[in-house]
Amino acid sequence: PKPLHLICGRPMVMHTLAALAKVARLDSLLLAVSPDDRYIDTLNPPATVVAFGQRAANAFASAQWPSQVACMVLEAGGKSAVLLQHPAEARLQRLRRLLPNAATVGVLAAEGETDGTEIRDIQRVAGQQGLTVVVHPVDLRHPISGQLEGLADRIDVLMATYDLRIYSAAHAPAVLLFSWRNRIPVIGAS
């Protein structure tokens, strides 16, 4: 892109930033960059770096900037963050508003991990709201598509968890196809 074209050995955007830094009426500047824009490493340390998305947060995690905030991420590696994780209470309240007649909520869990903290929270809150939770184990070593048979007859809605091993690019298409074929809504994290 044009902002990255070199002028006198520096990306054009750096000349723009230098000019803006001399404007007395500006208190501070905000620069949005892609995780691939490595020239940011050559800048004087900014007061704060705000990374949007997990990829950006990961790309800038090793930088030694004074203040970093990661937004729209599931994990921030100990940095300040605005996480995408919502408590089970809020997620199930949204589910009840969207699907007031749903009585049974399906949750996929990695085989051997069907009693994790997130699932226990969903079960606890669902029980308080009069909902039944069906935890369906999946073996992540094999395609999920063949492991969902029979689940459609037992649930009204499928609630996605924050397990990125299940809701990954590799497995999400099978989950969504299951949802579409069986007319089972999937309620995501946000």
Side-chain angles (χ1 to χ4, degrees), residues 125-161:
V125 174
Q128 292 169 352
Q129 295 185 14
L131 296 167
T132 301
V133 175
V134 173
V135 179
H136 188 78
V138 292
D139 184 345
L140 296 172
R141 297 172 295 173
H142 303 290
I144 287 182
S145 56
Q147 300 179 60
L148 300 177
E149 294 173 20
L151 182 60
D153 297 335
R154 301 185 305 150
I155 64 172
D156 299 315
V157 60
L158 182 62
M159 176 177 270
T161 64

PDB file of all heavy atoms in Angstrom, residues 125-161:
ATOM      1  N   VAL A 125     -25.636 -22.308  35.562  1.00  0.00           N
ATOM      2  CA  VAL A 125     -26.539 -21.211  35.197  1.00  0.00           C
ATOM      3  C   VAL A 125     -27.760 -21.746  34.446  1.00  0.00           C
ATOM      4  O   VAL A 125     -28.881 -21.310  34.681  1.00  0.00           O
ATOM      5  CB  VAL A 125     -25.801 -20.146  34.369  1.00  0.00           C
ATOM      6  CG1 VAL A 125     -26.754 -19.080  33.875  1.00  0.00           C
ATOM      7  CG2 VAL A 125     -24.685 -19.522  35.197  1.00  0.00           C
ATOM      8  N   ALA A 126     -27.540 -22.697  33.557  1.00  0.00           N
ATOM      9  CA  ALA A 126     -28.666 -23.288  32.817  1.00  0.00           C
ATOM     10  C   ALA A 126     -29.653 -23.928  33.789  1.00  0.00           C
ATOM     11  O   ALA A 126     -30.865 -23.776  33.646  1.00  0.00           O
ATOM     12  CB  ALA A 126     -28.161 -24.307  31.809  1.00  0.00           C
ATOM     13  N   GLY A 127     -29.140 -24.633  34.785  1.00  0.00           N
ATOM     14  CA  GLY A 127     -30.007 -25.251  35.790  1.00  0.00           C
ATOM     15  C   GLY A 127     -30.824 -24.214  36.541  1.00  0.00           C
ATOM     16  O   GLY A 127     -32.016 -24.414  36.803  1.00  0.00           O
ATOM     17  N   GLN A 128     -30.211 -23.069  36.862  1.00  0.00           N
ATOM     18  CA  GLN A 128     -30.927 -21.992  37.546  1.00  0.00           C
ATOM     19  C   GLN A 128     -32.032 -21.405  36.666  1.00  0.00           C
ATOM     20  O   GLN A 128     -33.025 -20.903  37.168  1.00  0.00           O
ATOM     21  CB  GLN A 128     -29.949 -20.877  37.938  1.00  0.00           C
ATOM     22  CG  GLN A 128     -28.954 -21.274  39.000  1.00  0.00           C
ATOM     23  CD  GLN A 128     -27.830 -20.250  39.173  1.00  0.00           C
ATOM     24  OE1 GLN A 128     -27.712 -19.301  38.401  1.00  0.00           O
ATOM     25  NE2 GLN A 128     -27.002 -20.465  40.179  1.00  0.00           N
ATOM     26  N   GLN A 129     -31.844 -21.494  35.353  1.00  0.00           N
ATOM     27  CA  GLN A 129     -32.831 -20.951  34.422  1.00  0.00           C
ATOM     28  C   GLN A 129     -33.792 -22.013  33.899  1.00  0.00           C
ATOM     29  O   GLN A 129     -34.583 -21.752  32.999  1.00  0.00           O
ATOM     30  CB  GLN A 129     -32.114 -20.280  33.238  1.00  0.00           C
ATOM     31  CG  GLN A 129     -31.317 -19.067  33.645  1.00  0.00           C
ATOM     32  CD  GLN A 129     -30.714 -18.347  32.449  1.00  0.00           C
ATOM     33  OE1 GLN A 129     -31.076 -18.591  31.302  1.00  0.00           O
ATOM     34  NE2 GLN A 129     -29.801 -17.437  32.718  1.00  0.00           N
ATOM     35  N   GLY A 130     -33.722 -23.208  34.459  1.00  0.00           N
ATOM     36  CA  GLY A 130     -34.634 -24.273  34.055  1.00  0.00           C
ATOM     37  C   GLY A 130     -34.276 -24.941  32.738  1.00  0.00           C
ATOM     38  O   GLY A 130     -35.124 -25.573  32.111  1.00  0.00           O
ATOM     39  N   LEU A 131     -33.041 -24.808  32.313  1.00  0.00           N
ATOM     40  CA  LEU A 131     -32.577 -25.431  31.074  1.00  0.00           C
ATOM     41  C   LEU A 131     -31.800 -26.701  31.373  1.00  0.00           C
ATOM     42  O   LEU A 131     -31.157 -26.820  32.412  1.00  0.00           O
ATOM     43  CB  LEU A 131     -31.670 -24.473  30.299  1.00  0.00           C
ATOM     44  CG  LEU A 131     -32.298 -23.184  29.790  1.00  0.00           C
ATOM     45  CD1 LEU A 131     -31.225 -22.206  29.323  1.00  0.00           C
ATOM     46  CD2 LEU A 131     -33.265 -23.492  28.659  1.00  0.00           C
ATOM     47  N   THR A 132     -31.850 -27.635  30.449  1.00  0.00           N
ATOM     48  CA  THR A 132     -31.058 -28.861  30.544  1.00  0.00           C
ATOM     49  C   THR A 132     -29.870 -28.721  29.609  1.00  0.00           C
ATOM     50  O   THR A 132     -29.999 -28.213  28.498  1.00  0.00           O
ATOM     51  CB  THR A 132     -31.901 -30.079  30.109  1.00  0.00           C
ATOM     52  OG1 THR A 132     -33.056 -30.146  30.963  1.00  0.00           O
ATOM     53  CG2 THR A 132     -31.116 -31.363  30.205  1.00  0.00           C
ATOM     54  N   VAL A 133     -28.704 -29.179  30.063  1.00  0.00           N
ATOM     55  CA  VAL A 133     -27.498 -29.128  29.237  1.00  0.00           C
ATOM     56  C   VAL A 133     -27.084 -30.543  28.875  1.00  0.00           C
ATOM     57  O   VAL A 133     -26.986 -31.414  29.740  1.00  0.00           O
ATOM     58  CB  VAL A 133     -26.339 -28.412  29.968  1.00  0.00           C
ATOM     59  CG1 VAL A 133     -25.052 -28.463  29.148  1.00  0.00           C
ATOM     60  CG2 VAL A 133     -26.715 -26.971  30.276  1.00  0.00           C
ATOM     61  N   VAL A 134     -26.857 -30.772  27.587  1.00  0.00           N
ATOM     62  CA  VAL A 134     -26.337 -32.044  27.102  1.00  0.00           C
ATOM     63  C   VAL A 134     -24.898 -31.790  26.662  1.00  0.00           C
ATOM     64  O   VAL A 134     -24.655 -31.043  25.711  1.00  0.00           O
ATOM     65  CB  VAL A 134     -27.161 -32.581  25.909  1.00  0.00           C
ATOM     66  CG1 VAL A 134     -26.495 -33.809  25.308  1.00  0.00           C
ATOM     67  CG2 VAL A 134     -28.579 -32.879  26.345  1.00  0.00           C
ATOM     68  N   VAL A 135     -23.949 -32.364  27.391  1.00  0.00           N
ATOM     69  CA  VAL A 135     -22.530 -32.216  27.032  1.00  0.00           C
ATOM     70  C   VAL A 135     -22.171 -33.378  26.114  1.00  0.00           C
ATOM     71  O   VAL A 135     -22.310 -34.540  26.486  1.00  0.00           O
ATOM     72  CB  VAL A 135     -21.634 -32.214  28.292  1.00  0.00           C
ATOM     73  CG1 VAL A 135     -20.168 -32.082  27.888  1.00  0.00           C
ATOM     74  CG2 VAL A 135     -22.046 -31.083  29.233  1.00  0.00           C
ATOM     75  N   HIS A 136     -21.731 -33.047  24.926  1.00  0.00           N
ATOM     76  CA  HIS A 136     -21.427 -34.056  23.904  1.00  0.00           C
ATOM     77  C   HIS A 136     -19.918 -34.090  23.664  1.00  0.00           C
ATOM     78  O   HIS A 136     -19.349 -33.137  23.128  1.00  0.00           O
ATOM     79  CB  HIS A 136     -22.171 -33.713  22.609  1.00  0.00           C
ATOM     80  CG  HIS A 136     -22.090 -34.777  21.573  1.00  0.00           C
ATOM     81  ND1 HIS A 136     -22.856 -35.915  21.621  1.00  0.00           N
ATOM     82  CD2 HIS A 136     -21.314 -34.881  20.469  1.00  0.00           C
ATOM     83  CE1 HIS A 136     -22.574 -36.667  20.574  1.00  0.00           C
ATOM     84  NE2 HIS A 136     -21.637 -36.062  19.867  1.00  0.00           N
ATOM     85  N   PRO A 137     -19.247 -35.176  24.078  1.00  0.00           N
ATOM     86  CA  PRO A 137     -17.794 -35.251  23.873  1.00  0.00           C
ATOM     87  C   PRO A 137     -17.435 -35.504  22.412  1.00  0.00           C
ATOM     88  O   PRO A 137     -18.129 -36.234  21.706  1.00  0.00           O
ATOM     89  CB  PRO A 137     -17.379 -36.437  24.749  1.00  0.00           C
ATOM     90  CG  PRO A 137     -18.609 -37.245  24.931  1.00  0.00           C
ATOM     91  CD  PRO A 137     -19.781 -36.339  24.772  1.00  0.00           C
ATOM     92  N   VAL A 138     -16.367 -34.861  21.965  1.00  0.00           N
ATOM     93  CA  VAL A 138     -15.847 -35.085  20.615  1.00  0.00           C
ATOM     94  C   VAL A 138     -14.365 -35.413  20.705  1.00  0.00           C
ATOM     95  O   VAL A 138     -13.638 -34.853  21.520  1.00  0.00           O
ATOM     96  CB  VAL A 138     -16.082 -33.867  19.694  1.00  0.00           C
ATOM     97  CG1 VAL A 138     -17.554 -33.675  19.395  1.00  0.00           C
ATOM     98  CG2 VAL A 138     -15.495 -32.602  20.258  1.00  0.00           C
ATOM     99  N   ASP A 139     -13.941 -36.339  19.861  1.00  0.00           N
ATOM    100  CA  ASP A 139     -12.539 -36.735  19.788  1.00  0.00           C
ATOM    101  C   ASP A 139     -11.881 -35.862  18.733  1.00  0.00           C
ATOM    102  O   ASP A 139     -12.139 -36.023  17.540  1.00  0.00           O
ATOM    103  CB  ASP A 139     -12.448 -38.218  19.425  1.00  0.00           C
ATOM    104  CG  ASP A 139     -11.018 -38.735  19.425  1.00  0.00           C
ATOM    105  OD1 ASP A 139     -10.071 -37.910  19.422  1.00  0.00           O
ATOM    106  OD2 ASP A 139     -10.850 -39.967  19.414  1.00  0.00           O
ATOM    107  N   LEU A 140     -11.039 -34.946  19.154  1.00  0.00           N
ATOM    108  CA  LEU A 140     -10.450 -33.974  18.245  1.00  0.00           C
ATOM    109  C   LEU A 140      -9.401 -34.576  17.312  1.00  0.00           C
ATOM    110  O   LEU A 140      -8.929 -33.903  16.401  1.00  0.00           O
ATOM    111  CB  LEU A 140      -9.859 -32.811  19.040  1.00  0.00           C
ATOM    112  CG  LEU A 140     -10.889 -32.003  19.816  1.00  0.00           C
ATOM    113  CD1 LEU A 140     -10.211 -31.004  20.736  1.00  0.00           C
ATOM    114  CD2 LEU A 140     -11.825 -31.299  18.862  1.00  0.00           C
ATOM    115  N   ARG A 141      -9.061 -35.826  17.531  1.00  0.00           N
ATOM    116  CA  ARG A 141      -8.113 -36.487  16.618  1.00  0.00           C
ATOM    117  C   ARG A 141      -8.792 -36.919  15.325  1.00  0.00           C
ATOM    118  O   ARG A 141      -8.129 -37.284  14.370  1.00  0.00           O
ATOM    119  CB  ARG A 141      -7.485 -37.702  17.302  1.00  0.00           C
ATOM    120  CG  ARG A 141      -6.662 -37.331  18.543  1.00  0.00           C
ATOM    121  CD  ARG A 141      -6.230 -38.548  19.280  1.00  0.00           C
ATOM    122  NE  ARG A 141      -7.443 -39.213  19.784  1.00  0.00           N
ATOM    123  CZ  ARG A 141      -7.462 -40.398  20.382  1.00  0.00           C
ATOM    124  NH1 ARG A 141      -6.350 -41.072  20.546  1.00  0.00           N
ATOM    125  NH2 ARG A 141      -8.599 -40.916  20.801  1.00  0.00           N
ATOM    126  N   HIS A 142     -10.125 -36.848  15.311  1.00  0.00           N
ATOM    127  CA  HIS A 142     -10.898 -37.285  14.146  1.00  0.00           C
ATOM    128  C   HIS A 142     -11.857 -36.172  13.721  1.00  0.00           C
ATOM    129  O   HIS A 142     -12.206 -35.303  14.527  1.00  0.00           O
ATOM    130  CB  HIS A 142     -11.679 -38.560  14.493  1.00  0.00           C
ATOM    131  CG  HIS A 142     -10.811 -39.669  14.975  1.00  0.00           C
ATOM    132  ND1 HIS A 142      -9.938 -40.349  14.169  1.00  0.00           N
ATOM    133  CD2 HIS A 142     -10.658 -40.192  16.218  1.00  0.00           C
ATOM    134  CE1 HIS A 142      -9.296 -41.267  14.872  1.00  0.00           C
ATOM    135  NE2 HIS A 142      -9.706 -41.185  16.127  1.00  0.00           N
ATOM    136  N   PRO A 143     -12.317 -36.203  12.473  1.00  0.00           N
ATOM    137  CA  PRO A 143     -13.276 -35.175  12.035  1.00  0.00           C
ATOM    138  C   PRO A 143     -14.518 -35.162  12.932  1.00  0.00           C
ATOM    139  O   PRO A 143     -15.047 -36.212  13.303  1.00  0.00           O
ATOM    140  CB  PRO A 143     -13.639 -35.611  10.613  1.00  0.00           C
ATOM    141  CG  PRO A 143     -12.475 -36.440  10.155  1.00  0.00           C
ATOM    142  CD  PRO A 143     -11.964 -37.127  11.394  1.00  0.00           C
ATOM    143  N   ILE A 144     -14.963 -33.985  13.268  1.00  0.00           N
ATOM    144  CA  ILE A 144     -16.122 -33.829  14.149  1.00  0.00           C
ATOM    145  C   ILE A 144     -17.412 -34.242  13.443  1.00  0.00           C
ATOM    146  O   ILE A 144     -18.349 -34.717  14.081  1.00  0.00           O
ATOM    147  CB  ILE A 144     -16.216 -32.376  14.670  1.00  0.00           C
ATOM    148  CG1 ILE A 144     -15.123 -32.144  15.705  1.00  0.00           C
ATOM    149  CG2 ILE A 144     -17.572 -32.070  15.253  1.00  0.00           C
ATOM    150  CD1 ILE A 144     -15.137 -30.769  16.322  1.00  0.00           C
ATOM    151  N   SER A 145     -17.463 -34.074  12.128  1.00  0.00           N
ATOM    152  CA  SER A 145     -18.714 -34.289  11.387  1.00  0.00           C
ATOM    153  C   SER A 145     -19.375 -35.622  11.710  1.00  0.00           C
ATOM    154  O   SER A 145     -20.578 -35.675  11.937  1.00  0.00           O
ATOM    155  CB  SER A 145     -18.478 -34.156   9.886  1.00  0.00           C
ATOM    156  OG  SER A 145     -17.464 -35.055   9.470  1.00  0.00           O
ATOM    157  N   GLY A 146     -18.614 -36.699  11.758  1.00  0.00           N
ATOM    158  CA  GLY A 146     -19.196 -38.007  12.039  1.00  0.00           C
ATOM    159  C   GLY A 146     -19.544 -38.229  13.499  1.00  0.00           C
ATOM    160  O   GLY A 146     -20.199 -39.210  13.845  1.00  0.00           O
ATOM    161  N   GLN A 147     -19.127 -37.333  14.365  1.00  0.00           N
ATOM    162  CA  GLN A 147     -19.358 -37.507  15.802  1.00  0.00           C
ATOM    163  C   GLN A 147     -20.601 -36.770  16.303  1.00  0.00           C
ATOM    164  O   GLN A 147     -20.931 -36.851  17.484  1.00  0.00           O
ATOM    165  CB  GLN A 147     -18.132 -37.010  16.582  1.00  0.00           C
ATOM    166  CG  GLN A 147     -16.852 -37.747  16.219  1.00  0.00           C
ATOM    167  CD  GLN A 147     -15.673 -37.204  16.985  1.00  0.00           C
ATOM    168  OE1 GLN A 147     -15.670 -37.231  18.218  1.00  0.00           O
ATOM    169  NE2 GLN A 147     -14.678 -36.714  16.270  1.00  0.00           N
ATOM    170  N   LEU A 148     -21.273 -36.058  15.412  1.00  0.00           N
ATOM    171  CA  LEU A 148     -22.432 -35.273  15.839  1.00  0.00           C
ATOM    172  C   LEU A 148     -23.755 -35.991  15.607  1.00  0.00           C
ATOM    173  O   LEU A 148     -24.801 -35.494  16.009  1.00  0.00           O
ATOM    174  CB  LEU A 148     -22.433 -33.920  15.115  1.00  0.00           C
ATOM    175  CG  LEU A 148     -21.200 -33.056  15.376  1.00  0.00           C
ATOM    176  CD1 LEU A 148     -21.268 -31.776  14.564  1.00  0.00           C
ATOM    177  CD2 LEU A 148     -21.040 -32.756  16.852  1.00  0.00           C
ATOM    178  N   GLU A 149     -23.689 -37.159  14.972  1.00  0.00           N
ATOM    179  CA  GLU A 149     -24.916 -37.916  14.705  1.00  0.00           C
ATOM    180  C   GLU A 149     -25.619 -38.252  16.014  1.00  0.00           C
ATOM    181  O   GLU A 149     -24.997 -38.613  16.995  1.00  0.00           O
ATOM    182  CB  GLU A 149     -24.580 -39.195  13.942  1.00  0.00           C
ATOM    183  CG  GLU A 149     -24.032 -38.929  12.552  1.00  0.00           C
ATOM    184  CD  GLU A 149     -23.552 -40.185  11.864  1.00  0.00           C
ATOM    185  OE1 GLU A 149     -23.974 -41.288  12.273  1.00  0.00           O
ATOM    186  OE2 GLU A 149     -22.739 -40.051  10.938  1.00  0.00           O
ATOM    187  N   GLY A 150     -26.905 -38.114  16.018  1.00  0.00           N
ATOM    188  CA  GLY A 150     -27.695 -38.416  17.206  1.00  0.00           C
ATOM    189  C   GLY A 150     -27.851 -37.237  18.151  1.00  0.00           C
ATOM    190  O   GLY A 150     -28.739 -37.234  19.001  1.00  0.00           O
ATOM    191  N   LEU A 151     -26.998 -36.231  18.022  1.00  0.00           N
ATOM    192  CA  LEU A 151     -27.093 -35.074  18.909  1.00  0.00           C
ATOM    193  C   LEU A 151     -28.323 -34.224  18.587  1.00  0.00           C
ATOM    194  O   LEU A 151     -28.965 -33.691  19.492  1.00  0.00           O
ATOM    195  CB  LEU A 151     -25.820 -34.226  18.808  1.00  0.00           C
ATOM    196  CG  LEU A 151     -25.749 -32.992  19.708  1.00  0.00           C
ATOM    197  CD1 LEU A 151     -25.846 -33.381  21.183  1.00  0.00           C
ATOM    198  CD2 LEU A 151     -24.469 -32.219  19.441  1.00  0.00           C
ATOM    199  N   ALA A 152     -28.671 -34.122  17.334  1.00  0.00           N
ATOM    200  CA  ALA A 152     -29.788 -33.267  16.920  1.00  0.00           C
ATOM    201  C   ALA A 152     -31.104 -33.677  17.575  1.00  0.00           C
ATOM    202  O   ALA A 152     -31.952 -32.827  17.852  1.00  0.00           O
ATOM    203  CB  ALA A 152     -29.935 -33.289  15.399  1.00  0.00           C
ATOM    204  N   ASP A 153     -31.284 -34.956  17.829  1.00  0.00           N
ATOM    205  CA  ASP A 153     -32.519 -35.439  18.451  1.00  0.00           C
ATOM    206  C   ASP A 153     -32.589 -35.110  19.944  1.00  0.00           C
ATOM    207  O   ASP A 153     -33.643 -35.266  20.560  1.00  0.00           O
ATOM    208  CB  ASP A 153     -32.640 -36.955  18.273  1.00  0.00           C
ATOM    209  CG  ASP A 153     -32.754 -37.356  16.813  1.00  0.00           C
ATOM    210  OD1 ASP A 153     -33.207 -36.516  16.004  1.00  0.00           O
ATOM    211  OD2 ASP A 153     -32.373 -38.491  16.481  1.00  0.00           O
ATOM    212  N   ARG A 154     -31.474 -34.663  20.517  1.00  0.00           N
ATOM    213  CA  ARG A 154     -31.425 -34.453  21.971  1.00  0.00           C
ATOM    214  C   ARG A 154     -31.345 -32.997  22.395  1.00  0.00           C
ATOM    215  O   ARG A 154     -31.420 -32.711  23.588  1.00  0.00           O
ATOM    216  CB  ARG A 154     -30.226 -35.210  22.556  1.00  0.00           C
ATOM    217  CG  ARG A 154     -30.283 -36.701  22.277  1.00  0.00           C
ATOM    218  CD  ARG A 154     -29.165 -37.483  22.942  1.00  0.00           C
ATOM    219  NE  ARG A 154     -27.859 -36.965  22.581  1.00  0.00           N
ATOM    220  CZ  ARG A 154     -26.786 -37.028  23.368  1.00  0.00           C
ATOM    221  NH1 ARG A 154     -26.869 -37.602  24.555  1.00  0.00           N
ATOM    222  NH2 ARG A 154     -25.636 -36.556  22.968  1.00  0.00           N
ATOM    223  N   ILE A 155     -31.152 -32.057  21.432  1.00  0.00           N
ATOM    224  CA  ILE A 155     -30.978 -30.653  21.818  1.00  0.00           C
ATOM    225  C   ILE A 155     -31.863 -29.731  20.976  1.00  0.00           C
ATOM    226  O   ILE A 155     -32.288 -30.082  19.886  1.00  0.00           O
ATOM    227  CB  ILE A 155     -29.502 -30.213  21.688  1.00  0.00           C
ATOM    228  CG1 ILE A 155     -29.026 -30.275  20.219  1.00  0.00           C
ATOM    229  CG2 ILE A 155     -28.604 -31.040  22.598  1.00  0.00           C
ATOM    230  CD1 ILE A 155     -27.648 -29.686  19.989  1.00  0.00           C
ATOM    231  N   ASP A 156     -32.120 -28.541  21.539  1.00  0.00           N
ATOM    232  CA  ASP A 156     -32.862 -27.497  20.827  1.00  0.00           C
ATOM    233  C   ASP A 156     -31.920 -26.450  20.247  1.00  0.00           C
ATOM    234  O   ASP A 156     -32.259 -25.760  19.288  1.00  0.00           O
ATOM    235  CB  ASP A 156     -33.844 -26.795  21.775  1.00  0.00           C
ATOM    236  CG  ASP A 156     -34.857 -27.761  22.346  1.00  0.00           C
ATOM    237  OD1 ASP A 156     -35.399 -28.577  21.579  1.00  0.00           O
ATOM    238  OD2 ASP A 156     -35.096 -27.698  23.572  1.00  0.00           O
ATOM    239  N   VAL A 157     -30.760 -26.286  20.854  1.00  0.00           N
ATOM    240  CA  VAL A 157     -29.792 -25.269  20.457  1.00  0.00           C
ATOM    241  C   VAL A 157     -28.395 -25.764  20.836  1.00  0.00           C
ATOM    242  O   VAL A 157     -28.244 -26.516  21.802  1.00  0.00           O
ATOM    243  CB  VAL A 157     -30.102 -23.909  21.128  1.00  0.00           C
ATOM    244  CG1 VAL A 157     -30.067 -24.015  22.642  1.00  0.00           C
ATOM    245  CG2 VAL A 157     -29.179 -22.802  20.633  1.00  0.00           C
ATOM    246  N   LEU A 158     -27.401 -25.357  20.067  1.00  0.00           N
ATOM    247  CA  LEU A 158     -26.010 -25.693  20.370  1.00  0.00           C
ATOM    248  C   LEU A 158     -25.309 -24.419  20.803  1.00  0.00           C
ATOM    249  O   LEU A 158     -25.323 -23.416  20.087  1.00  0.00           O
ATOM    250  CB  LEU A 158     -25.318 -26.282  19.133  1.00  0.00           C
ATOM    251  CG  LEU A 158     -23.876 -26.731  19.304  1.00  0.00           C
ATOM    252  CD1 LEU A 158     -23.769 -27.865  20.329  1.00  0.00           C
ATOM    253  CD2 LEU A 158     -23.304 -27.178  17.959  1.00  0.00           C
ATOM    254  N   MET A 159     -24.729 -24.430  22.006  1.00  0.00           N
ATOM    255  CA  MET A 159     -24.016 -23.260  22.508  1.00  0.00           C
ATOM    256  C   MET A 159     -22.527 -23.465  22.300  1.00  0.00           C
ATOM    257  O   MET A 159     -21.949 -24.423  22.802  1.00  0.00           O
ATOM    258  CB  MET A 159     -24.302 -23.023  23.992  1.00  0.00           C
ATOM    259  CG  MET A 159     -23.493 -21.865  24.554  1.00  0.00           C
ATOM    260  SD  MET A 159     -23.883 -21.525  26.280  1.00  0.00           S
ATOM    261  CE  MET A 159     -25.185 -20.345  26.033  1.00  0.00           C
ATOM    262  N   ALA A 160     -21.915 -22.558  21.536  1.00  0.00           N
ATOM    263  CA  ALA A 160     -20.473 -22.628  21.299  1.00  0.00           C
ATOM    264  C   ALA A 160     -19.728 -22.239  22.570  1.00  0.00           C
ATOM    265  O   ALA A 160     -20.141 -21.328  23.288  1.00  0.00           O
ATOM    266  CB  ALA A 160     -20.082 -21.698  20.156  1.00  0.00           C
ATOM    267  N   THR A 161     -18.652 -22.944  22.824  1.00  0.00           N
ATOM    268  CA  THR A 161     -17.792 -22.618  23.962  1.00  0.00           C
ATOM    269  C   THR A 161     -16.580 -21.849  23.444  1.00  0.00           C
ATOM    270  O   THR A 161     -16.465 -21.581  22.251  1.00  0.00           O
ATOM    271  CB  THR A 161     -17.334 -23.895  24.687  1.00  0.00           C
ATOM    272  OG1 THR A 161     -16.527 -24.658  23.777  1.00  0.00           O
ATOM    273  CG2 THR A 161     -18.516 -24.708  25.181  1.00  0.00           C
TER     274      THR A 161
END
